[in-house]
Amino acid sequence: MLDSVKISRRQSEIRQTLSELVGKTDATEDETRSMESLDKEYRANEVKYRAALIAEDEQRSEAKGELETRSDREWSEMMGGFELRQVAMALDEGRKLDGATAEIIEEMRSAGGYQGIPVPMEALETRAGETVSGDQVLNPKAVRPLIDRIFPNSVASQLGIQRVSIAQGEVAFPVATAGAVFGWQTNELADVGAANPFETSERSLNPDHTGGAQMVISRKALKQSGAGLEAAIRRDLNAVIATELDRVVINGSGAAGEPLGIIPGAGTYGITSTAIGAAASWAAFRAEIVAFMEANAITSPSQVNLAFDPAIWADLDEALISGTAVSEWNRLTNHVGTPAISNTIPAESAIMTANVKGVAPGYLGVYGGVDLIRDPYTKAGSGSLVLTGLVTADYTAPRGLQTRILTGLTA
């Protein structure tokens, strides 16, 4: 215990004792002497207390970083002990949850909004030592590579889209649309210009879009796989949820329960879409980079994020500059880095985004964790475990000028 804490506690004890003695009207000589000694000790302790604070200041400074990150580390360590196998067995057999798994689930339940067993998004990653055999029945001898987290390595994240974890309610992003205007005096007594109102608009993330990832675990897998079932559930949920979230960020229709994505929502978000009508080239992308610069969104081509489908990569790599071995792909990557290449981007299209002063070009809001629910009826005859993982998410682009779309990039 720190000396300052010990002294502070002793001072509290002295104050309490003195308050009892002072209240007496017929204090004895011993009690009077006791008050004098306690008063003397109290004044001496005040000096010691200040000295202790000075001496401990350096220790507190050194420990500050550790104290600030301790809660994050503790949560990460708890998440490392989360077992999806326990969740599956609880849903299948009613087995009692325990350990870190029970703690995390209880904490998520306190936020409300779950019909089944809540599973944190951070749990949907495989861990070192988890293995999968070729026939999909788990075998601890065949070691496979680690599966990445649910979102960070997706195409959307490479475009700078930021994921926002939301406990509940609506999240709004106010965007300034008008503000200060600079003006010069036309003469010595003239005004510098009329005041311009500061105006904002809002882009919101709402819990209006819920989807579900479903899986069926056979009775054989439940009995044969044992602890290895952990990796199977995590891998399947990871893959299907990550793929779908990536798709709706780019191509979400905004109808039939889907969030409104970048390409279908270009008009809503104020995103400029340019029809090129020619083969993909560095010149086409350069023109859009210039447009970013003219809108004060970027100051360097390297600040642009770019994504397109594999066919465009092939066209750029094949197109050589006349009389050289340099391709259009070489010229592009020399200025903007390596683009994201994925079938998620529609054919003959490309998306360009920019992070402006720390503001992401788009936000994917994920509400809470995965709500894992058991269906006890659909496969009851076969003894299989049918799981549905419900995910509520929404997407919005706060400023359209941070994104540009190119279409018609034909071969």
Side-chain angles (χ1 to χ4, degrees):
M1 183 184 298
L2 294 174
D3 289 338
S4 61
V5 176
K6 294 178 183 178
I7 295 171
S8 179
R9 290 184 178 180
R10 176 56 185 158
Q11 295 292 75
S12 179
E13 293 171 1
I14 292 173
R15 285 193 297 270
Q16 183 175 355
T17 305
L18 284 173
S19 66
E20 294 173 357
L21 294 173
V22 170
K24 289 188 174 184
T25 57
D26 54 347
T28 65
E29 290 184 6
D30 290 339
E31 289 172 336
T32 302
R33 283 194 296 270
S34 177
M35 283 189 284
E36 291 175 354
S37 62
L38 287 172
D39 178 63
K40 184 178 180 180
E41 181 186 352
Y42 187 89
R43 282 185 277 113
N45 283 346
E46 283 294 296
V47 177
K48 292 180 182 178
Y49 181 72
R50 290 194 295 272
L53 288 177
I54 294 170
E56 293 162 5
D57 183 64
E58 184 177 348
Q59 298 176 35
R60 287 189 175 92
S61 298
E62 292 175 354
K64 183 179 179 183
E66 179 184 353
L67 293 171
E68 289 176 346
T69 59
R70 184 176 297 167
S71 60
D72 293 336
R73 290 204 308 270
E74 288 175 352
W75 177 255
S76 179
E77 289 169 3
M78 279 188 65
M79 199 59 63
F82 190 93
E83 295 182 344
L84 276 171
R85 176 173 56 91
Q86 281 197 46
V87 176
M89 294 305 178
L91 290 169
D92 185 47
E93 306 170 359
R95 185 177 297 183
K96 184 178 179 181
L97 299 167
D98 56 33
T101 305
E103 276 190 65
I104 292 170
I105 289 174
E106 186 62 31
E107 184 170 338
M108 294 182 71
R109 278 197 190 284
S110 65
Y114 297 98
Q115 300 175 50
I117 297 180
V119 176
M121 286 288 185
E122 294 90 337
L124 298 185
E125 60 178 39
T126 60
R127 299 158 187 160
E130 293 178 336
T131 57
V132 183
S133 65
D135 59 359
Q136 296 184 358
V137 176
L138 301 176
N139 181 343
K141 295 181 181 178
V143 180
R144 297 296 174 86
L146 188 72
I147 304 297
D148 291 330
R149 285 179 180 270
I150 186 169
F151 189 69
N153 290 325
S154 69
V155 173
S157 73
Q158 292 182 60
L159 283 171
I161 307 304
Q162 183 177 333
R163 191 178 110 180
V164 181
S165 295
I166 306 170
Q168 57 193 12
E170 179 179 316
V171 176
F173 297 91
V175 180
T177 56
V181 175
F182 193 95
W184 293 99
Q185 287 182 320
T186 56
N187 59 64
E188 186 178 353
L189 299 178
D191 193 2
V192 294
N196 196 55
F198 185 85
E199 299 176 349
T200 63
S201 62
E202 286 188 356
R203 295 290 188 187
S204 300
L205 293 171
N206 303 291
D208 296 334
H209 310 282
T210 297
Q214 294 185 311
M215 66 169 66
V216 179
I217 305 173
S218 70
R219 185 170 179 79
K220 176 182 177 181
L222 285 168
K223 302 303 180 185
Q224 186 178 30
S225 300
L229 185 64
E230 174 87 7
I233 296 175
R234 187 179 294 113
R235 186 186 69 255
D236 288 346
L237 282 175
N238 186 337
V240 72
I241 294 175
T243 300
E244 183 57 18
L245 287 180
D246 219 30
R247 186 192 70 80
V248 296
V249 166
I250 306 298
N251 298 310
S253 66
E258 294 183 1
L260 184 61
I262 294 173
I263 292 179
T268 301
Y269 299 134
I271 296 172
T272 300
S273 181
T274 305
I276 302 300
S281 65
W282 159 239
F285 293 111
R286 182 177 57 201
E288 299 304 310
I289 292 173
V290 170
F292 270 126
M293 292 178 172
E294 291 176 343
N296 296 323
I298 61 171
T299 56
S300 169
S302 61
Q303 294 175 270
V304 169
N305 305 305
L306 177 59
F308 43 67
D309 74 309
I312 291 179
W313 167 79
D315 294 341
L316 290 168
D317 190 59
E318 185 179 19
L320 297 178
I321 308 301
S322 179
T324 72
V326 178
S327 67
E328 293 287 343
W329 172 255
N330 296 138
R331 297 182 69 190
L332 175 66
T333 55
N334 186 51
H335 289 90
V336 302
T338 304
I341 303 172
S342 172
N343 284 326
T344 305
I345 310 298
E348 300 183 355
S349 298
I351 298 176
M352 302 176 72
T353 64
N355 186 305
V356 180
K357 295 181 179 179
V359 178
Y363 292 92
L364 173 66
V366 179
Y367 287 78
V370 178
D371 194 356
L372 201 58
I373 300 174
R374 178 193 181 188
D375 178 355
Y377 306 110
T378 305
K379 297 288 184 180
S382 65
S384 299
L385 174 60
V386 182
L387 298 177
T388 299
L390 297 178
V391 177
T392 300
D394 193 16
Y395 174 79
T396 190
R399 285 195 296 217
L401 65 84
Q402 292 182 234
T403 304
R404 302 185 73 86
I405 300 171
L406 286 72
T407 62
L409 295 168
T410 59

